[in-house]
Amino acid sequence: MARVIVVTSGKGGVGKTTVTAGVGRALAKRGKRVVLMDADLGLNNLDVVMDIENRVVYDILDVVENRCRPRQALVEDVAVSGLFVLPGASYDDGARIGGQNLRAIINSLSPSFDYIFIDCPAGIEAGFHRAVAAADEALVVTTPHISALRDADKVAAIVKSYKIKASLVLNRARGDMVIGQEQLDYADISDLLQIPALGVLPEDDAINTYNCFLTDEKEKSEGDVAVNMLADNLLSGNVKIFDVTKKYRGFFGSIKRSLKKIV
Ligand SMILES: Nc1ncnc2c1ncn2[C@@H]1O[C@H](COP(=O)(O)OP(=O)(O)O)[C@@H](O)[C@H]1O
Ligand SMILES: [Mg+2]
């Protein structure tokens, strides 16, 4: 049976889809069978981020309305086998998808997969509740910015009320700002939200590109290293956090920090 993990945040644009795609890909590369389910109706973009939008035949509404079976709607990744996307509908018709529908899809896929990630819509409306109610675990994604934290706090409280395991993923962390005490560190945010941290991803423009396929470890971006650490933590149950401050410590580190302030 699959582990069913909802990736949620409250605020939009903080990295839910990025985390879903990155962690899903990392786990599939470790041999796991993974489904990424786009439950963000209307603003669905997992298909674009995963670069499968030209191969979408059926979407989640087709499954709900019995035009196809859940397995038929899955689109497999070209590069990583065992990684599948269940596309969301590109028009917002959430009223046609109930909590039972999501659970029925998950129950049907669960025996054949190791992980099912649900890319949750932003906000705390019906679509969010449907997605959280269908999951066994939640990754609460936030950036260190005040507006995101406030929404994450609300979401954390609701997720806890569903009595599912919640873990924090801090995205877009800036090591130079943490050292300069201009940004909260993940430990402070974990305290604030009262959710244990499972991963920290740095601000990294390369995070959505395909450099995860590079075989030379040295060429990998920081974002990719951090996404892989998060995937390993999910897999192992241990918690190793990517240190965003490391490259800004020491003599050369302080030069990098000063340069970052100038540019
Ligand atoms: N760690 C990061 N560093 C740089 N850009 C990021 C990072 N995480 C996400 N982004 C960018 O932020 C934007 C929103 O991310 P996305 O995952 O689509 O958010 P959400 O699904 O929560 O709305 C995207 O353009 C994405 O590439
Ligand atoms: Mg998204």
Side-chain angles (χ1 to χ4, degrees):
M1 295 301 257
R3 272 172 79 178
V4 183
I5 304 175
V6 63
V7 183
T8 185
S9 68
K11 188 168 158 49
V14 297
K16 290 178 296 297
T17 302
T18 303
V19 167
T20 304
V23 172
R25 188 178 286 126
L27 287 169
K29 282 170 78 183
R30 284 158 178 72
K32 299 293 167 192
R33 288 177 58 76
V34 179
V35 173
L36 310 179
M37 186 190 254
D38 196 345
D40 194 356
L41 299 186
L43 295 177
N44 61 309
N45 59 359
L46 189 61
D47 54 341
V48 179
V49 173
M50 293 297 294
D51 200 21
I52 53 121
E53 86 264 33
N54 294 329
R55 294 191 292 126
V56 172
V57 178
Y58 297 112
D59 64 34
I60 195 165
L61 264 179
D62 293 315
V63 179
V64 168
E65 297 180 346
N66 292 318
R67 286 186 286 275
C68 69
R69 283 174 283 110
R71 287 295 291 266
Q72 281 176 292
L74 297 182
V75 183
E76 188 166 12
D77 194 86
V78 179
V80 185
S81 65
L83 177 60
F84 298 82
V85 175
L86 178 56
S90 55
Y91 43 98
D92 185 1
D93 203 352
R96 281 149 72 187
I97 300 186
Q100 283 120 314
N101 298 127
L102 270 195
R103 263 192 297 267
I105 297 172
I106 289 167
N107 288 343
S108 138
L109 295 173
S110 183
S112 323
F113 293 91
D114 301 303
Y115 287 87
I116 298 175
F117 288 92
I118 309 173
D119 188 6
C120 184
I124 47 174
E125 285 83 40
F128 158 81
H129 282 278
R130 263 196 312 268
V132 175
D136 312 315
E137 300 171 47
L139 295 182
V140 177
V141 182
T142 185
T143 64
H145 310 110
I146 301 295
S147 56
L149 287 175
R150 208 171 85 155
D151 287 359
D153 190 39
K154 284 186 198 146
V155 158
I158 302 174
V159 165
K160 281 181 217 157
S161 75
Y162 277 90
K163 307 244 179 297
I164 60 175
K165 182 181 171 194
S167 309
L168 170 70
V169 176
L170 178 63
N171 189 23
R172 308 194 85 144
R174 289 256 314 257
D176 56 325
M177 293 181 76
V178 170
I179 289 185
Q181 296 193 319
E182 296 158 283
Q183 192 169 91
L184 290 177
D185 194 13
Y186 79 89
D188 302 322
I189 295 174
S190 170
D191 274 356
L192 199 75
L193 303 179
Q194 304 242 297
I195 305 183
L198 192 66
V200 173
L201 311 182
E203 175 74 31
D204 179 2
D205 288 340
I207 203 149
N208 264 340
T209 60
Y210 287 87
N211 69 357
C212 52
F213 297 116
L214 295 172
T215 43
D216 185 347
E217 290 295 322
K218 283 191 214 116
E219 287 178 36
K220 282 193 173 175
S221 78
E222 282 197 313
D224 194 48
V225 172
V227 165
N228 275 289
M229 282 174 79
L230 173 56
D232 285 334
N233 290 346
L234 266 177
L235 210 54
S236 68
N238 301 328
V239 181
K240 267 178 77 183
I241 299 286
F242 181 81
D243 184 1
V244 288
T245 63
K246 193 171 166 192
K247 75 170 184 188
Y248 296 108
R249 282 196 253 110
F251 177 68
F252 286 110
S254 57
I255 293 176
K256 276 188 200 153
R257 217 158 13 114
S258 312
L259 284 174
K260 194 118 190 181
K261 279 218 172 86
I262 296 164
V263 291

